[in-house]
């Protein structure tokens, strides 16, 4: 627990979805929580308008700053395996949260790696989406079964 007796909670999301802002705003109002949000990317080309915005009481951390251009518009880039997980472990080390809430298997495995070095709880926030249904890769499905 942090010195201020507030529980530091780190939520990890691919991007900041507009529908999640009220949830984070409400959590940040609690005097018991110190809310941090880690975004894998600042934006996605497939989700125009889904960009980080100030949420009173929350601190936002973007793990991969290279996913956008200087003028703030998104651009498609090839995936760079390992960049986000490496930076997530570093952010966890820096923040020393009491809990890390993840939403996918890669984030979960990175949190488990960081948990070997730091004491915190791991939570899993699952949200159904059409994208999750389209992923038919057998390796990804096996990984999901093992992690979830």
């Amino acid at each position: 627990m942090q010195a201020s007796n507030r529980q530091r909670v780190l939520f990890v999301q691919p991007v900041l979805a507009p529908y999640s802002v009220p949830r984070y705003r409400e959590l940040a109002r609690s005097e018991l929580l110190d809310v941090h949000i880690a975004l894998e990317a600042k934006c996605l080309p497939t989700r125009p308008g889904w960009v980080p915005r100030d949420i009173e009481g929350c601190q936002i951390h973007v793990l991969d700053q290279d996913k956008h251009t200087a003028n703030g518009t998104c651009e498609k880039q090839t995936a760079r395996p390992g960049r986000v997980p490496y930076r997530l472990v570093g952010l966890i080390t820096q923040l020393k949260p009491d809990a890390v809430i993840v939403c996918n298997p890669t984030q979960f495995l990175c949190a488990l790696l960081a948990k070997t070095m730091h004491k915190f709880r791991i939570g899993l926030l699952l949200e159904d989406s059409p994208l999750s249904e389209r992923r038919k890769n057998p390796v990804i499905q096996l990984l999901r079964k093992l992690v979830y």
Side-chain angles (χ1 to χ4, degrees):
M1 191 182 307
Q2 308 304 314
S4 67
N5 291 330
R6 296 177 75 190
Q7 294 283 309
R8 181 168 292 166
V9 181
L10 174 63
F11 291 89
V12 187
Q13 296 285 293
V15 292
L16 185 61
Y19 60 80
S20 67
V21 172
R23 173 189 326 146
Y24 294 126
R25 189 176 294 126
E26 188 64 30
L27 288 170
R29 287 185 185 140
S30 171
E31 293 184 16
L32 301 174
L33 299 177
D34 178 15
V35 179
H36 292 256
I37 304 167
L39 305 175
E40 289 183 11
K42 190 169 190 173
C43 57
L44 294 175
T46 57
R47 300 280 194 261
W50 287 28
V51 295
R53 60 192 70 176
D54 289 336
I55 303 173
E56 188 176 341
C58 296
Q59 292 186 35
I60 297 179
H61 311 271
V62 181
L63 297 174
D64 194 351
Q65 293 283 357
D66 299 334
K67 294 280 185 183
H68 59 91
T69 61
N71 66 4
T73 60
C74 287
E75 61 183 19
K76 289 187 178 183
Q77 292 187 352
T78 55
R80 297 181 185 157
R83 291 188 70 183
V84 170
Y86 172 77
R87 291 177 178 175
L88 178 57
V89 172
L91 181 63
I92 290 171
T93 299
Q94 175 188 348
L95 293 177
K96 296 177 180 52
D98 297 292
V100 176
I101 311 299
V102 298
C103 70
N104 66 43
T106 304
Q107 296 169 359
F108 184 76
L109 292 174
C110 293
L112 279 177
L113 174 64
K115 190 171 171 60
T116 63
M117 299 176 276
H118 309 286
K119 294 181 180 180
F120 60 87
R121 294 177 297 277
I122 299 175
L124 186 60
L125 177 66
L126 294 176
E127 297 177 328
D128 292 332
S129 72
L131 177 63
S132 66
E133 295 298 316
R134 289 195 303 255
R135 302 213 176 183
K136 301 298 181 190
N137 182 320
V139 175
I140 291 175
Q141 288 184 347
L142 176 62
L143 182 59
R144 283 186 173 168
K145 287 179 185 177
L146 293 173
V147 171
Y148 296 146

